[in-house]
Amino acid sequence: MKKLINHVDNIVDEMLDGMTAAHPNRLRRLEGTTVLVRKDAPVTGKVGIVSGGGSGHEPAHAGYVGPGMLDGAVAGEVFTSPTPDQVFEAIKAVNGGKGVLLVIKNYTGDVMNFEMAAELAEAEGIQVRQVVVNDDVAVEDSSFTSGRRGIAGTVLVHKIAGAKAAEGAALDDVHAVAESVIKNVKSMGMSLSPCTVPAAGKPGFTLGEKEMEIGTGIHGEPGVERTDIKPAAETAEILFHKVFQEMNMQAGDEAAVIINGLGSTPLMELYVFHHAIDRLLKDKDIRVEEAVVGEWMTSLEMAGVSFTMLKLDDTLKKLLDAPSDTVSWKRG
Amino acid sequence: MKKLINHVDNIVDEMLDGMTAAHPNRLRRLEGTTVLVRKDAPVTGKVGIVSGGGSGHEPAHAGYVGPGMLDGAVAGEVFTSPTPDQVFEAIKAVNGGKGVLLVIKNYTGDVMNFEMAAELAEAEGIQVRQVVVNDDVAVEDSSFTSGRRGIAGTVLVHKIAGAKAAEGAALDDVHAVAESVIKNVKSMGMSLSPCTVPAAGKPGFTLGEKEMEIGTGIHGEPGVERTDIKPAAETAEILFHKVFQEMNMQAGDEAAVIINGLGSTPLMELYVFHHAIDRLLKDKDIRVEEAVVGEWMTSLEMAGVSFTMLKLDDTLKKLLDAPSDTVSWKRG
Amino acid sequence: MITTGTAKSWMENFKELILENKDELTTLDQAIGDGDHGINMARGVQEMDKMLQEKTFETPGALLKAAAMVFISKIGGASGPLYGSALMKIAAEAGDKAELTDQDLLACLDAGKKAVQQRGRAETGEKTMYDVWDPVVSTFRGEETIDWEALKTTAQQAVKSTVDMHAKKGRAAYLGARSVGHTDPGAFSSRLFFEALADAAQKEN
Amino acid sequence: MITTGTAKSWMENFKELILENKDELTTLDQAIGDGDHGINMARGVQEMDKMLQEKTFETPGALLKAAAMVFISKIGGASGPLYGSALMKIAAEAGDKAELTDQDLLACLDAGKKAVQQRGRAETGEKTMYDVWDPVVSTFRGEETIDWEALKTTAQQAVKSTVDMHAKKGRAAYLGARSVGHTDPGAFSSRLFFEALADAAQKEN
Ligand SMILES: Nc1ncnc2c1ncn2[C@@H]1O[C@H](COP(=O)(O)OP(=O)(O)O)[C@@H](O)[C@H]1O
Ligand SMILES: Nc1ncnc2c1ncn2[C@@H]1O[C@H](COP(=O)(O)OP(=O)(O)O)[C@@H](O)[C@H]1O
Ligand SMILES: [Mg+2]
Ligand SMILES: [Mg+2]
Ligand SMILES: [Mg+2]
Ligand SMILES: [Mg+2]
């Protein structure tokens, strides 16, 4: 394991302090916690939005804290959901009197810990609502299981719910628009190499020199199948078709698209990949104003990419284009 | 070699088309070339700025094409300077009547190819000036050699010269401010793993499981020394002190700082690294308003980081903070 | 008979067993999860141990409640809320009794089992820690005294039974049929939880 | 005596030799550069070969000028402008002569050498391709006829002489003293350039 770190036990702590040191006018760390909030939190008269999860997915989520997106981000240990007390601190710090929306990625740990935090907050009279993002179509949906994972599509929930909250909307309305994003966003990923959780010291899985894994999750959870390495264009087709078939889209529809690098895949390759996606979009006559290509929700140093598509309507599009001013997502 | 590509010969071509497909309102590819220009180039009455170099350093340079930064970026093959005819096409396409500044990184190949392009442009009556960025202090400066390499500090030249050009300044003034950035910017990098040029198919160098290389260039050119892996804090100290000792800075001075990931180093580690840099800055009482942490000039999938510092005066600071609206660098 | 001392040994034994098996737990979680179960549990038991060094308790319930709080606030992931909620309910059921009979203890463990089920929305056969909690508690519930060796064996067999299961909850569920053939890491750590209790109780008697 | 046909064979031989030695050139450049010299040169000679298939030329000068243009516009890196400029000056010196005597040819090569020196601001002993161009041209300049075997030997020895040099120009210069002990890749490809010429000339005669 070769990492630019000091002690494995201090990574999250030093990362959080490194972030506030780099962005002192934007971010503030709640003392004694792993929570970063907007410098000016709480914003009175605005619904607060809190997201978070295990660390190792940077810039998710603190990179999205700021005007027009999140009010607070809670960091767990690497790939480990943060604990209820930390989430509770975030809720208290961003509550501007209009209640708080929790944006949770659908992992058992995240759901349980955020749920317990919501219980604590409600016991103190803070209005809390939750949404659970489950955009990853790699895993079959089933009412018998805990369902699909939340991956890069989550960033679009932050953006759009954040824009709605910035308008001064009520908690129920912010919640509703977040649910509408979740209903319309689907993603799927693949990987060429695994990643190593620092404290584990060894890769989470192994892939042969000529193998790739289709449907990998952002913690290296396995996906649909392991195959021989395929060209980027063919890989794009597999991800695109799987995502597309789960969406209710017609020719002429408009979509937002994220090409998300999982960690060590160069931007060069992400654009090569998008070149193939662009053709598939044109084939289906799906309009995309500007694709979002880069690293938005990573998996440490994993090599791979995920493809996210959100079907837009006028409301979602307006909110997506609304201004935001965070470290990693600036618009308008 | 595991890469998300199609054929090695088509990577640059597909990447460029992927970029214009992703950002059709921002970027335009000059037909039959490897040049991307601002959608609205040439901008009449504004000095045009062209940069470029080998591919594999994305987002450099096309990610910096747009209002407030570059007018055109010329892409060579991976790690190979573009040819004079391509650079010449870029010059012609961005010349808005006030002349064109070429921002060249100090590599023999880049210098020679851009120089030949400038000769072609001047023969056609286009006013051209050049600056050569040589911020990498890893290599000793010497009048007997071709001197120091240009690395991530180049992005600050784009930003500041771009802002000056956006003000409507004359070519000589844009040239002068670019020279002033170059005089005041220093950088140094290190790596934990090599990268593989796609067409070569094998890593450019090898590092043992416990080794790191200090002073690596962005093409994997070796640096000052190879040592056992050191903690992030110690690594930060080595890079910081080497950079600092080459600068003429005093307590109370203000600086801009870039923490630049070379490809596969997670943002998490970059912030851990910055956490250490921040202390060193405070020790020396150097003021930094906001550090720029991320991937700005990469080296394919190399693991490592470079540290860049620019001493600011009022002029440079104002231009650095001026608005820019490019794919990878948005301000204001 | 569980005294405050037994409860303390239980938790200390759990710490020892988790630390001894940390790498094994990580390896199991790498196979069908995200590879942090050993790390998560180790962090939790070490923090708990620190707490136990610093504080003293009057009753088993008080001690176990404090342990629950540490687990909830230090483990995270799926296992933090599950062990935390379980211990919280165990402590609540223990109330302020100074000593717990085996029957009291079985009522406590039953409350813990229900907490795992509720918090995790887990059912039998879904390849989770519930597949250890459920058989262990169900087998001994109603007995007057606990046969600790039998309890250990039950726990061990329960862990083995998870190998053939097709995961329906937790990260292993993403693997679908590929989860078959692997031991569930949370089931393994739950076995250690019951073994730690058995060792403490046996030493007491 | 160099005819248009000889010039064509020269360039075709160069293509063959570069493609045969592509991996070797890449390996040499990986050791002290950025590993693309073989790739760059291969791209250049293949494009040149395509051009030679399509066009016909009246004089050696016209052919070499066209080759120069391909090298300038297709190779990039350091080697593109260097080989491109050298061939451009060689072609200029050849003018529109239909045939070049050995003396003419030596004047051409001298012009090429000077182009390398100027474009690269290179001096002797700096561990670049100039360390092949310079001795090869200097050794035979002034002679009436070229001893092709001797020229090849000179080129080979010149390549070897770069091993002990401490690089001052090009990427290898970043290595400082660590560049010692390696062959310069551009010197190696320059040897192939002269070998290609020798083979073409020898076949002609
Ligand atoms: N819904 C659930 N109900 C009961 N137990 C669960 C559930 N989800 C996960 N688990 C248990 O948690 C264990 C994984 O814990 P851990 O690795 O610490 O958390 P995470 O899965 O968040 O990384 C699994 O092996 C399983 O026994
Ligand atoms: N300034 C120079 N003068 C002469 N030759 C040079 C100079 N710089 C580099 N070279 C030659 O170019 C070769 C490298 O070419 P190549 O690898 O294609 O380009 P790059 O260095 O841009 O990657 C070196 O081995 C050396 O022989
Ligand atoms: Mg986990
Ligand atoms: Mg090169
Ligand atoms: Mg786990
Ligand atoms: Mg090279």
Side-chain angles (χ1 to χ4, degrees):
Chain A
M1 181 181 66
K2 298 181 93 172
K3 292 185 188 280
L4 188 65
I5 57 174
N6 296 301
H7 194 283
V8 283
D9 289 344
N10 303 334
I11 296 177
V12 174
D13 192 51
E14 293 177 12
M15 168 185 79
L16 294 172
D17 279 347
M19 288 198 81
T20 53
H23 316 292
N25 302 322
R26 299 172 177 282
L27 299 175
R28 179 161 58 86
R29 181 169 178 181
L30 300 182
E31 227 187 286
T33 74
T34 58
V35 178
L36 296 186
V37 298
R38 280 175 65 157
K39 191 72 187 292
D40 59 352
V43 182
T44 314
K46 190 186 89 65
V47 167
I49 306 188
V50 168
S51 190
S55 293
H57 306 299
E58 293 65 31
H61 297 279
Y64 306 119
V65 169
M69 289 185 83
L70 301 179
D71 293 85
V74 194
E77 293 294 324
V78 176
F79 288 2
T80 302
S81 167
T83 55
D85 51 315
Q86 301 293 308
V87 180
F88 181 40
E89 292 301 325
I91 293 172
K92 285 189 288 184
V94 309
N95 179 30
K98 275 189 115 167
V100 175
L101 179 73
L102 304 183
V103 180
I104 309 168
K105 296 193 295 308
N106 190 31
Y107 299 98
T108 314
D110 289 55
V111 171
M112 291 192 294
N113 284 289
F114 276 76
E115 218 167 63
M116 287 172 81
E119 290 164 13
L120 292 170
E122 276 154 7
E124 288 216 358
I126 304 177
Q127 220 193 331
V128 177
R129 298 211 58 177
Q130 317 174 18
V131 291
V132 179
V133 189
N134 57 356
D135 54 323
D136 187 350
V137 301
V139 183
E140 279 321 302
D141 207 7
S142 155
S143 49
F144 300 112
T145 68
S146 32
R148 288 173 163 169
R149 301 175 289 225
I151 57 173
T154 311
V155 180
L156 295 171
V157 180
H158 299 163
K159 176 66 190 73
I160 288 172
K164 188 75 186 175
E167 285 181 353
L171 181 54
D172 281 349
D173 297 329
V174 177
H175 178 265
V177 81
E179 288 289 15
S180 145
V181 177
I182 292 169
K183 224 183 87 199
N184 288 290
V185 69
K186 304 283 175 234
S187 303
M188 184 156 153
M190 56 73 59
S191 62
L192 287 171
S193 78
C195 58
T196 299
V197 172
K202 54 180 179 173
F205 58 97
T206 46
L207 273 173
E209 207 19 68
K210 292 190 183 315
E211 280 181 329
M212 63 192 259
E213 170 101 13
I214 306 269
T216 330
I218 54 173
H219 310 91
E221 307 99 325
V224 203
E225 66 169 324
R226 187 164 287 199
T227 70
D228 274 5
I229 283 194
K230 294 178 198 302
E234 211 176 308
T235 308
E237 257 178 71
I238 294 171
L239 301 192
F240 179 87
H241 285 305
K242 183 84 174 127
V243 164
F244 190 80
Q245 88 187 21
E246 298 274 340
M247 297 186 79
N248 177 22
M249 292 199 74
Q250 269 126 44
D253 279 352
E254 185 159 4
V257 151
I258 300 181
I259 309 297
N260 175 53
L262 290 178
S264 64
T265 294
L267 198 48
M268 163 178 264
E269 296 177 29
L270 298 182
Y271 279 115
V272 166
F273 180 83
H274 180 65
H275 177 247
I277 289 287
D278 182 59
R279 287 191 196 177
L280 297 164
L281 289 166
K282 293 206 167 103
D283 275 359
K284 299 275 185 207
D285 193 19
I286 305 299
R287 289 178 304 129
V288 174
E289 202 173 279
E290 172 157 26
V292 176
V293 182
E295 293 183 351
W296 312 102
M297 184 167 295
T298 59
S299 184
L300 295 169
E301 74 286 355
M302 187 182 286
V305 66
S306 69
F307 168 66
T308 294
M309 184 149 66
L310 166 67
K311 180 178 171 178
L312 291 173
D313 57 24
D314 291 347
T315 309
L316 296 184
K317 184 166 164 53
K318 205 196 78 213
L319 293 167
L320 182 62
D321 291 343
S324 60
D325 185 18
T326 71
V327 173
S328 300
W329 192 294
K330 295 196 206 334
R331 287 264 168 135
Chain B
M1 181 182 66
K2 298 180 94 172
K3 292 185 188 281
L4 188 65
I5 57 175
N6 295 300
H7 194 283
V8 283
D9 289 343
N10 304 333
I11 295 178
V12 174
D13 191 51
E14 293 177 11
M15 169 185 77
L16 294 172
D17 280 346
M19 288 198 80
T20 52
H23 316 292
N25 303 321
R26 301 172 177 281
L27 299 175
R28 179 161 58 88
R29 181 169 178 182
L30 300 182
E31 227 187 286
T33 75
T34 59
V35 178
L36 296 186
V37 298
R38 277 174 66 156
K39 190 71 187 291
D40 58 353
V43 182
T44 315
K46 189 186 89 65
V47 167
I49 306 188
V50 169
S51 190
S55 294
H57 306 299
E58 293 67 30
H61 296 280
Y64 306 119
V65 169
M69 291 184 83
L70 302 178
D71 295 86
V74 194
E77 293 293 325
V78 177
F79 288 2
T80 302
S81 167
T83 56
D85 51 315
Q86 301 293 310
V87 180
F88 181 40
E89 292 300 326
I91 294 172
K92 285 189 288 185
V94 309
N95 177 31
K98 277 189 114 165
V100 176
L101 179 74
L102 305 183
V103 180
I104 308 169
K105 295 191 299 304
N106 191 31
Y107 299 97
T108 315
D110 289 55
V111 171
M112 292 192 293
N113 285 289
F114 277 76
E115 218 167 63
M116 288 172 83
E119 290 164 14
L120 293 170
E122 276 153 8
E124 289 216 359
I126 303 176
Q127 220 192 330
V128 177
R129 298 211 60 180
Q130 315 174 20
V131 291
V132 179
V133 189
N134 57 356
D135 53 321
D136 187 351
V137 301
V139 184
E140 278 323 301
D141 208 6
S142 155
S143 50
F144 299 112
T145 67
S146 32
R148 288 174 163 168
R149 303 175 287 223
I151 56 173
T154 311
V155 181
L156 295 171
V157 181
H158 299 163
K159 176 65 190 75
I160 288 171
K164 187 77 186 172
E167 284 180 354
L171 181 55
D172 282 349
D173 297 329
V174 178
H175 179 264
V177 82
E179 287 290 14
S180 142
V181 176
I182 292 170
K183 225 184 86 199
N184 289 292
V185 68
K186 303 286 175 233
S187 304
M188 184 156 154
M190 56 73 59
S191 62
L192 286 171
S193 78
C195 57
T196 299
V197 172
K202 54 181 178 172
F205 58 97
T206 46
L207 273 174
E209 204 25 61
K210 293 190 182 318
E211 281 181 329
M212 64 191 256
E213 170 100 13
I214 307 269
T216 330
I218 54 172
H219 311 91
E221 307 99 326
V224 203
E225 67 169 323
R226 187 163 289 199
T227 71
D228 275 3
I229 283 193
K230 294 181 198 303
E234 211 175 306
T235 308
E237 257 178 71
I238 295 170
L239 301 191
F240 180 86
H241 286 304
K242 183 85 175 124
V243 164
F244 190 79
Q245 91 187 20
E246 298 274 341
M247 297 186 78
N248 176 21
M249 292 199 72
Q250 270 126 44
D253 279 351
E254 185 161 1
V257 151
I258 299 182
I259 309 298
N260 176 52
L262 290 177
S264 65
T265 293
L267 197 48
M268 163 178 264
E269 296 175 29
L270 298 182
Y271 279 115
V272 166
F273 180 84
H274 180 64
H275 177 247
I277 290 288
D278 181 60
R279 289 191 195 175
L280 298 163
L281 289 165
K282 295 209 165 104
D283 275 357
K284 299 276 185 207
D285 193 18
I286 305 298
R287 288 179 305 128
V288 174
E289 202 174 277
E290 173 157 26
V292 176
V293 183
E295 293 183 352
W296 313 102
M297 185 166 295
T298 58
S299 184
L300 295 171
E301 74 286 356
M302 187 183 285
V305 66
S306 69
F307 169 66
T308 294
M309 184 148 67
L310 166 67
K311 180 178 170 177
L312 290 173
D313 57 23
D314 290 347
T315 310
L316 295 185
K317 184 166 163 55
K318 204 195 79 212
L319 293 167
L320 181 62
D321 291 342
S324 60
D325 185 17
T326 71
V327 173
S328 299
W329 193 293
K330 294 196 205 333
R331 286 262 169 138
Chain C
M1 187 86 90
I2 303 289
T3 63
T4 309
T6 328
K8 193 173 180 195
S9 313
W10 177 10
M11 290 298 112
E12 284 170 346
N13 291 345
F14 189 40
K15 183 204 76 176
E16 292 299 332
L17 286 170
I18 288 291
L19 297 183
E20 275 166 31
N21 289 279
K22 181 180 168 190
D23 289 347
E24 173 67 11
L25 291 171
T26 292
T27 304
L28 292 177
D29 199 32
Q30 284 190 319
I32 55 168
D34 60 351
D36 61 358
H37 188 54
I39 302 160
N40 293 343
M41 293 305 299
R43 187 173 53 245
V45 294
Q46 275 165 327
E47 292 286 345
M48 177 189 65
D49 195 50
K50 246 192 265 169
M51 182 276 294
L52 289 178
Q53 308 301 317
E54 285 162 14
K55 295 194 184 161
T56 52
F57 299 92
E58 299 290 309
T59 61
L63 187 144
L64 295 172
K65 185 178 172 192
M69 288 306 296
V70 173
F71 280 15
I72 289 173
S73 65
K74 296 298 177 188
I75 298 186
S79 42
L82 289 167
Y83 278 108
S85 299
L87 271 171
M88 194 60 95
K89 293 294 180 182
I90 289 172
E93 181 66 33
D96 49 15
K97 288 191 181 131
E99 294 180 352
L100 307 172
T101 64
D102 280 11
Q103 278 192 319
D104 291 337
L105 182 65
L106 285 168
C108 290
L109 294 179
D110 192 53
K113 171 196 111 168
K114 283 183 180 133
V116 169
Q117 181 176 29
Q118 244 172 14
R119 190 53 80 194
R121 297 180 187 91
E123 298 296 334
T124 305
E126 295 188 332
K127 199 178 184 107
T128 71
M129 61 172 71
Y130 187 66
D131 291 311
V132 167
W133 282 78
D134 183 32
V136 167
V137 173
S138 308
T139 305
F140 297 93
R141 188 92 173 98
E143 315 242 322
E144 206 149 321
T145 59
I146 301 173
D147 174 345
W148 292 107
E149 284 305 315
L151 185 140
K152 285 199 215 175
T153 311
T154 306
Q156 275 165 26
Q157 280 166 348
V159 172
K160 281 208 191 100
S161 78
T162 67
V163 173
D164 290 336
M165 292 177 187
H166 178 136
K168 296 277 180 345
K169 290 282 155 65
R171 278 176 212 281
Y174 307 136
L175 275 163
R178 284 209 267 168
S179 66
V180 175
H182 297 275
T183 301
D184 177 64
F188 192 94
S189 64
S190 294
R191 188 199 99 193
L192 303 179
F193 182 82
F194 289 110
E195 250 173 43
L197 169 59
D199 290 346
Q202 284 174 317
K203 217 173 122 200
E204 182 81 5
N205 301 332
Chain D
M1 187 86 89
I2 302 287
T3 62
T4 309
T6 329
K8 193 174 179 193
S9 311
W10 177 10
M11 291 297 114
E12 283 170 348
N13 292 344
F14 189 39
K15 181 204 78 176
E16 293 299 332
L17 285 170
I18 288 292
L19 296 184
E20 276 166 30
N21 290 279
K22 181 179 168 190
D23 290 348
E24 173 67 12
L25 292 170
T26 292
T27 305
L28 292 176
D29 199 31
Q30 283 190 320
I32 56 168
D34 59 351
D36 61 358
H37 188 55
I39 302 161
N40 293 343
M41 293 306 297
R43 188 174 50 245
V45 294
Q46 275 165 326
E47 292 286 344
M48 177 189 65
D49 195 51
K50 247 192 262 169
M51 181 275 294
L52 290 178
Q53 307 303 316
E54 286 164 11
K55 294 193 186 163
T56 53
F57 300 93
E58 300 288 310
T59 62
L63 188 144
L64 294 171
K65 184 178 173 194
M69 289 305 297
V70 173
F71 280 15
I72 289 173
S73 65
K74 296 298 177 188
I75 298 185
S79 42
L82 290 166
Y83 278 107
S85 299
L87 271 171
M88 194 62 95
K89 294 293 180 184
I90 289 172
E93 182 66 33
D96 49 16
K97 288 190 183 135
E99 294 181 352
L100 307 173
T101 64
D102 279 10
Q103 279 193 318
D104 291 337
L105 183 64
L106 284 167
C108 289
L109 294 178
D110 192 52
K113 171 196 109 168
K114 284 183 181 133
V116 169
Q117 183 177 27
Q118 245 171 13
R119 190 51 83 193
R121 298 179 185 94
E123 298 296 336
T124 304
E126 294 188 334
K127 200 181 185 102
T128 70
M129 61 172 71
Y130 187 66
D131 291 310
V132 168
W133 282 77
D134 184 31
V136 167
V137 173
S138 309
T139 306
F140 297 92
R141 191 88 173 102
E143 314 244 322
E144 207 149 319
T145 59
I146 300 173
D147 174 344
W148 291 108
E149 284 305 316
L151 185 139
K152 285 199 215 175
T153 312
T154 308
Q156 274 165 27
Q157 279 166 350
V159 172
K160 282 210 191 99
S161 77
T162 67
V163 173
D164 290 337
M165 293 177 186
H166 179 138
K168 296 277 180 346
K169 291 281 154 66
R171 276 175 213 282
Y174 307 135
L175 274 165
R178 283 207 267 168
S179 66
V180 175
H182 297 274
T183 300
D184 177 63
F188 191 94
S189 64
S190 294
R191 186 198 101 194
L192 302 178
F193 182 82
F194 289 109
E195 250 172 41
L197 169 59
D199 290 345
Q202 284 175 316
K203 217 173 124 201
E204 184 81 5
N205 301 335

